[in-house]
Amino acid sequence: MADFLSAYSIQNWLESCPQGYLERTEYGHAPGEVEPDSILENPLLREDAIRGTVQLVVGERCALAASSGLINSAPDEASKRFLATQTLDEARHVEIFTQRLFDLGVKKSELEDVIKTLASPHLVAFAGVLLEKVDKKDFVAGVVGQNIVLEGLAFSVFEMQHAANKEINPKFAHTLAGTIADERRHVGFGENRIGSLLKDEPNKKPAIEKMQKEMSYHILATFADAFKRGQKAFEEGRRVRTSSGPIEWQGADIAHLEPAEMEQLLANTVLKEFRIRLGRLGLEYQTPTAP
Ligand SMILES: [Fe+2]
Ligand SMILES: [Fe+2]
């Protein structure tokens, strides 16, 4: 418990995050960095960037509601304090991705309408499964749903986007890098804290496994939807790319994969991570039905 207390303390959070990798950043990136003209001046790519960023805002709003909602059902003081730091991290993620929407030309007065129109219904359903557990004050299920499933998903999606944007959009890649570092801390908390709680309450396992299966189904449906809608922008992005070098991610060259292959790689990566992380907690991964 002593290690747990210092690793997830507010003091450690201050030193590593606001006074560490976020120092001298502005909305998560270096001051003065802007979205590239290749996106801002290309209607197809700008629209696609807005749609993609809306999904990030929806996911992060869910994480904000979940992490703040779990504070009062946490069984110990150290977890409450950690979740308070996570609440601020998630609020920051909501803010920086919302700021990206403004940077991409969304008007402040249109923000909620744009989010409502472009949010994937499958992602909204995914959030609903998690927030129901949080509302019922089911701490163990809530943390598995949030810190293992939602954040495991976010972690892989952000890493893929980071790889894809490093060369063409350093501003967005920098925004993602700080977020990835935050998500790594959140996933670590989930694994460390939930293992011992599940040992005390093994009867909770079947309901948690059922939740994971449902959430995984909605993830696959979200991906299918996103890759189908993004097909044209995907081709356009390839067309305007100036370099032809490989972009490595998960052992593949994602600069030269077809959209269907990308979708498969992303889905496999996310589900493989779940299987490993849930296994460490003594939970059995449930394969979702294909959407
Ligand atoms: Fe987040
Ligand atoms: Fe997070």
Side-chain angles (χ1 to χ4, degrees):
M1 197 73 179
D3 278 356
F4 176 80
L5 283 174
S6 59
Y8 298 104
S9 64
I10 293 173
Q11 183 59 37
N12 190 51
W13 173 78
L14 282 170
E15 289 172 21
S16 63
C17 178
Q19 298 160 8
Y21 54 83
L22 292 184
E23 219 182 4
R24 284 184 287 276
T25 57
E26 196 177 278
Y27 292 104
H29 55 81
E33 284 183 311
V34 293
E35 292 290 322
D37 287 344
S38 59
I39 292 175
L40 293 178
E41 288 167 9
N42 185 316
L44 194 56
L45 293 183
R46 194 174 72 91
E47 154 80 8
D48 185 65
I50 290 172
R51 184 183 294 277
T53 306
V54 162
Q55 313 317 318
L56 302 186
V57 172
V58 170
E60 296 295 354
R61 282 184 176 183
C62 172
L64 174 58
S67 52
S68 56
L70 286 167
I71 294 178
N72 284 329
S73 58
D76 62 285
E77 292 299 318
S79 296
K80 287 176 192 289
R81 292 200 299 275
F82 172 79
L83 286 165
T85 67
Q86 180 172 351
T87 296
L88 196 55
D89 292 336
E90 306 302 357
R92 186 181 82 84
H93 300 166
V94 172
E95 183 170 275
I96 58 180
F97 293 132
T98 302
Q99 181 60 44
R100 184 176 190 230
L101 290 175
F102 299 146
D103 295 347
L104 289 166
V106 173
K107 293 199 184 73
K108 289 194 175 158
S109 59
E110 293 168 355
L111 178 69
E112 294 307 321
D113 280 343
V114 168
I115 291 174
K116 221 195 236 156
T117 311
L118 299 181
S120 163
H122 305 293
L123 188 56
V124 173
F126 168 90
V129 176
L130 168 57
L131 294 178
E132 195 190 307
K133 300 289 185 191
V134 174
D135 285 345
K136 286 190 178 144
K137 301 212 170 295
D138 186 340
F139 183 73
V140 180
V143 172
V144 173
Q146 168 177 270
N147 297 62
I148 307 292
V149 181
L150 169 61
E151 319 219 77
L153 163 70
F155 191 77
S156 295
V157 169
F158 292 158
E159 286 219 308
M160 185 195 73
Q161 291 188 326
H162 183 262
N165 281 280
K166 226 165 35 186
E167 155 200 307
I168 51 160
N169 191 345
K171 175 222 179 212
F172 185 40
H174 290 150
T175 306
L176 288 166
T179 314
I180 290 168
D182 292 341
E183 300 305 353
R184 186 173 290 126
R185 187 166 57 247
H186 303 163
V187 172
F189 168 80
E191 288 196 8
N192 277 293
R193 190 65 194 98
I194 290 306
S196 61
L197 288 176
L198 268 176
K199 266 191 208 119
D200 299 340
E201 294 182 275
N203 58 318
K204 288 228 158 134
K205 286 184 183 178
I208 293 176
E209 287 165 351
K210 183 170 166 277
M211 170 192 73
Q212 169 261 309
K213 187 175 178 181
E214 265 181 74
M215 290 178 83
S216 299
Y217 168 82
H218 292 306
I219 289 173
L220 294 181
T222 304
F223 288 166
D225 196 32
F227 280 92
K228 201 171 70 206
R229 286 177 188 280
Q231 178 98 29
K232 276 203 188 109
F234 193 92
E235 285 159 14
E236 180 69 0
R238 291 262 160 100
R239 198 184 63 75
V240 302
R241 186 171 177 236
T242 44
S243 103
S244 61
I247 298 175
E248 298 256 4
W249 185 69
Q250 289 290 322
D253 171 16
I254 59 171
H256 298 95
L257 290 185
E258 292 303 314
E261 294 171 321
M262 275 293 285
E263 181 189 336
Q264 199 60 50
L265 177 65
L266 180 60
N268 288 347
T269 304
V270 168
L271 299 185
K272 186 183 76 196
E273 293 279 319
F274 285 174
R275 195 185 302 266
I276 294 170
R277 293 208 168 98
L278 293 167
R280 280 192 212 128
L281 298 175
L283 288 164
E284 202 172 314
Y285 169 81
Q286 308 282 315
T287 309
T289 39

